Amino acid sequence: MLSTRSFSTATDTLVVGGGVVGCSTALHLAQARQGDGAGIVVVEADPTYKYNSAMLSAGGIRTQFSLPENVRMCQYSLDFLRALQTEADQGGNIPNIQFQEKGYLFLASTAQGAQTLVSNHTLQVAEGVRETDMLSSQQLQNRFPWLNTADVLAASHSYGGAGWFDPWALLRAMKMKATEMGVTFVHGSLSSAVRSPITKRLERVQVQLGGNKGAVSYSPKFVVNAAGAKASAVQDQLVGGDPAVLGLPVRPRKRCIFFFKCSVPVGTDLDSCPEVAPLTVDPSGVYFRSEGAGGAQTFLAGVSPKQEDDVDCWDPLDLENADHTLWEEVIWPALFNRVQAFGELKVTSSWAGLYDYNTCDQNGIVGFHPDVPNLLCVTGFSGHGLQQSPAAGRAGSELIEYGEFHTLDLSRFGVERLSSKDFVFETGIV
C-alpha cells in the first residue's frame, strides 16, 4: 500500500527527468545564480537509470552536422567535456568521463551523398570547426588501409573534437556539481498536476516519492520537461490530457548496440583488424567504432531500423533483448563489406535503449510551451541528447533565468514550430 503521508513545498524550478539533460539544466541554472541551487528540484523516477537513454547509448560526440544550431551545441558541449576531463586529469574530485577524441568518419557512396558531405563540411568550417577533413577515396584508403573504399566517393573525417566518453561518468559529474550547489534530487514520479484556469500555468505538481515515502506537492514557478523518451507522457500527465494543449511529438524508439571482438590480427593492410577505428558511419547507416584500449580488437556497432519497422516502444520489457535479426541481416553484412577482418568476429554482448525521437523533424525541442507558459520543454533530441546535453541545459537555464537565449540561439528549435510546421531538418543523422 502506498503511504498517504504528504507535504507541500514551494520551489522555484521543478525539473522532471534526472538524466543528462535534466541534470545539465539544473546545473547550469544553479551556475547562472552564482552557484545557488536552492529552490531547484530534480525528480527522477528511476535512480538506477536502468533504462536511461544516455546510459545505453554509444556515448559519441561530433560537430559534423548540417544545421548551425547542432554544430554550435556540440561545440559548447565539446568545451564542457574537455573542461571536465582536464579537471579529472588534474586530480579533481569528479568522475573521469574518459573522453577519447578518436574521431568520427562519415562515408558516402553516391554523388548525392558526397555532395551532402561537402555542403555540411562547408557549413562546419564556417562555424569554426577546424579538425575535419574531406577525403577522396584514395586519401581515405591511405589514412585507413584496413577500410574497403572501393565504393566510396567521399568521406568526412573529424580527427579531433569528436569521439566518445563515459555517459554514466558525465551524469555523475553533473549531478555531483549540482548537488554541491544546493540542487535537490528526489526519487519519485508524477502523480498529478493542477493548472490555473485563467493563466494556464502549472500551479501545483504532486510527486509520489519512491520507497513508499509518501508524496510531495510542489508549487513551482517553472516546470522543466526533461523526461527524454517519456516526455510526451509526462506532458500529458502535467496537463491532464487536455486536448487543447499542443502535444509533444516525442516517442520512445528502440535502438540496439552490439559489442564484438575481432579475431584477425591488428595490422596496416586491407586484411587487418584496425587498431583504433573512429566512429565510422557507413552509407548503409550502420555505424561502428573501437571500444576499450587501442589494439584490444573490441568494437561496438548499431544501426537505426527501417522507418516501417521503427515503432514506439513503451514497454521496458521490450528493451531486455537486442534485435539479433537486425545484426544478422543488416549490421554484420555491412561491417564485413567495409572491413574484411570483420568477417571473423564474435558478438560478446548486446543491449537495447531508447531514442527520444521527435517524429516531426528529429531535432531537439527547447522552449516554453505556448499553451502552458511556465512549462519549459527540453527534449526530443532523437539520439543526440547525450552529446548535446551540456548545451541544452545551458540554453534551457537561460530561458528560465533571463527569458531569452544568451549563449546559443536555439529559437528554431522552439515548441511553436510543431504547430506552425516550420520544421528544421538535419542531414547529418546517424
Side-chain angles (χ1 to χ4, degrees), residues 293-428:
Q297 297 175 254
T298 50
F299 306 84
L300 59 77
V303 70
S304 294
K306 293 180 180 179
Q307 185 173 355
E308 59 267 27
D309 299 325
D310 197 12
V311 298
D312 296 351
C313 179
W314 293 103
D315 188 350
L317 293 179
D318 289 338
L319 301 179
E320 294 297 325
N321 296 292
D323 183 355
H324 286 270
T325 300
L326 198 63
W327 167 264
E328 293 288 345
E329 297 182 357
V330 180
I331 299 175
W332 193 11
L335 293 176
F336 181 42
N337 175 66
R338 195 58 56 201
V339 182
Q340 285 189 356
F342 287 169
E344 299 181 36
L345 55 79
K346 180 180 180 180
V347 175
T348 57
S349 65
S350 60
W351 61 92
L354 294 173
Y355 271 11
D356 56 333
Y357 191 84
N358 174 359
T359 61
C360 287
D361 60 17
Q362 294 81 65
N363 277 303
I365 301 168
V366 183
F368 281 106
H369 198 293
D371 301 322
V372 190
N374 64 335
L375 175 60
L376 176 67
C377 301
V378 191
T379 186
F381 294 97
S382 307
H384 304 141
L386 174 64
Q387 61 185 297
Q388 294 184 336
S389 61
R394 178 63 178 261
S397 70
E398 289 177 349
L399 288 179
I400 291 173
E401 190 67 6
Y402 312 120
E404 61 184 7
F405 296 116
H406 281 190
T407 307
L408 299 160
D409 185 356
L410 303 184
S411 301
R412 288 207 296 171
F413 288 173
V415 182
E416 290 83 1
R417 81 182 193 274
L418 306 177
S419 58
S420 67
K421 301 188 185 306
D422 189 18
F423 302 138
V424 284
F425 292 95
E426 169 63 54
T427 62

Side-chain angles (χ1 to χ4, degrees), residues 105-357:
L105 179 64
F106 282 80
L107 309 179
S109 59
T110 65
Q112 182 179 358
Q115 183 55 52
T116 296
L117 290 185
V118 170
S119 298
N120 292 355
H121 179 74
T122 300
L123 178 135
Q124 293 151 19
V125 170
E127 290 295 331
V129 176
R130 294 292 175 262
E131 299 173 295
T132 302
D133 291 334
M134 283 299 303
L135 304 176
S136 67
S137 180
Q138 187 58 57
Q139 290 171 323
L140 180 66
Q141 184 70 73
N142 293 341
R143 191 170 293 190
F144 302 103
W146 44 264
L147 201 65
N148 173 20
T149 63
D151 63 334
V152 177
L153 299 182
S156 170
H157 180 217
S158 182
Y159 53 87
W164 50 89
F165 56 94
D166 182 348
W168 179 240
L170 174 63
L171 176 68
R172 289 169 53 223
M174 291 196 294
K175 190 172 181 179
M176 182 183 297
K177 287 179 174 290
T179 301
E180 290 173 350
M181 295 180 191
V183 174
T184 300
F185 287 83
V186 173
H187 173 202
S189 55
L190 295 184
S191 57
S192 63
V194 175
R195 280 197 302 154
S196 165
I198 299 174
T199 67
K200 305 301 181 182
R201 295 171 63 89
L202 288 162
E203 294 184 327
R204 290 195 305 278
V205 177
Q206 179 135 326
V207 172
Q208 184 66 46
L209 300 177
N212 195 28
K213 295 181 180 178
V216 184
S217 182
Y218 293 98
S219 300
K221 293 180 181 178
F222 302 100
V223 177
V224 180
N225 185 351
K230 297 180 180 178
S232 63
V234 163
Q235 178 174 297
D236 287 345
Q237 281 186 287
L238 289 171
V239 303
D242 184 350
V245 174
L246 177 67
L248 284 181
V250 179
R251 300 293 181 266
R253 297 290 174 86
K254 182 178 179 177
R255 296 293 184 267
C256 303
I257 294 180
F258 298 86
F259 185 84
F260 64 91
K261 185 174 179 64
C262 179
S263 60
V264 176
V266 170
T268 56
D269 56 45
L270 189 59
D271 298 325
S272 302
C273 176
E275 180 176 9
V276 177
L279 199 153
T280 304
V281 184
D282 190 73
S284 64
V286 171
Y287 68 85
F288 65 91
R289 69 163 173 84
S290 292
E291 174 66 10
Q297 297 175 254
T298 50
F299 306 84
L300 59 77
V303 70
S304 294
K306 293 180 180 179
Q307 185 173 355
E308 59 267 27
D309 299 325
D310 197 12
V311 298
D312 296 351
C313 179
W314 293 103
D315 188 350
L317 293 179
D318 289 338
L319 301 179
E320 294 297 325
N321 296 292
D323 183 355
H324 286 270
T325 300
L326 198 63
W327 167 264
E328 293 288 345
E329 297 182 357
V330 180
I331 299 175
W332 193 11
L335 293 176
F336 181 42
N337 175 66
R338 195 58 56 201
V339 182
Q340 285 189 356
F342 287 169
E344 299 181 36
L345 55 79
K346 180 180 180 180
V347 175
T348 57
S349 65
S350 60
W351 61 92
L354 294 173
Y355 271 11
D356 56 333
Y357 191 84

Side-chain angles (χ1 to χ4, degrees), residues 51-73:
Y51 299 111
N52 181 272
S53 297
M55 302 306 106
L56 298 169
S57 72
I61 183 171
R62 59 187 166 96
T63 54
Q64 289 152 294
F65 289 96
S66 66
L67 291 176
E69 290 86 351
N70 284 331
V71 175
R72 294 166 192 166
M73 288 183 77

